[in-house]
Amino acid sequence: QVQLVESGGGSVQAGGSLTLSCSVSGSIASTTHRAWFRQAPGKEREGVAAIFTGDGTTLYAASVKGRFTVSQDSAKTMLFLQMNTLKPDDTAMYYCAAATRWGTIWTDSKGYQYWGQGTQVTVSS
């Protein structure tokens, strides 16, 4: 079992920055990769960024590449999402997720076995 708890959401004006954190506990070593997803009202959940637990390889959605940075601490107990140059379109509930096996594209939410409760990010124009 893996437990995930997000924090750091809030309201910010367009052009501003926020950093989301996700505490990871439980069977940390069982995770192959972790990711951040977001879901806006009326829209499907979409993958934002992912990081491989082992070697730290990172992957990004085209919509956030160059603006967002995903990282993890050396103990692999914390996951971060640094978000810069935020836009109103970034407004959504943000979730961290962990997978314990490979097999699906990182943006496929069905490939993740564990999810946090989410933290709201609101960007005003």
Side-chain angles (χ1 to χ4, degrees):
Q1 293 288 325
V2 178
Q3 294 79 43
L4 304 166
V5 179
E6 303 96 337
S7 61
S11 297
V12 65
Q13 288 192 326
S17 299
L18 277 176
T19 299
L20 305 183
S21 300
C22 176
S23 172
V24 185
S25 60
S27 301
I28 296 171
S30 69
T31 64
T32 51
H33 51 296
R34 298 94 174 268
W36 288 96
F37 282 76
R38 66 186 181 186
Q39 188 166 21
K43 295 187 177 181
E44 292 189 356
R45 191 168 294 191
E46 64 169 340
V48 174
I51 187 166
F52 296 177
T53 305
D55 67 6
T57 296
T58 56
L59 299 163
Y60 296 93
S63 59
V64 306
K65 197 168 187 178
R67 299 189 297 123
F68 290 11
T69 302
V70 61
S71 62
Q72 61 190 2
D73 69 336
S74 58
K76 315 295 173 63
T77 61
M78 293 296 296
L79 182 68
F80 304 100
L81 185 68
Q82 172 68 42
M83 305 184 293
N84 298 325
T85 319
L86 282 161
K87 305 175 182 179
D89 283 350
D90 295 319
T91 295
M93 185 71 79
Y94 283 70
Y95 300 88
C96 63
T100 57
R101 54 184 177 267
W102 303 101
T104 61
I105 190 170
W106 73 269
T107 53
D108 184 352
S109 62
K110 295 189 293 295
Y112 296 81
Q113 292 72 47
Y114 301 100
W115 292 84
Q117 294 299 307
T119 186
Q120 178 68 37
V121 172
T122 302
V123 184
S124 58
S125 57

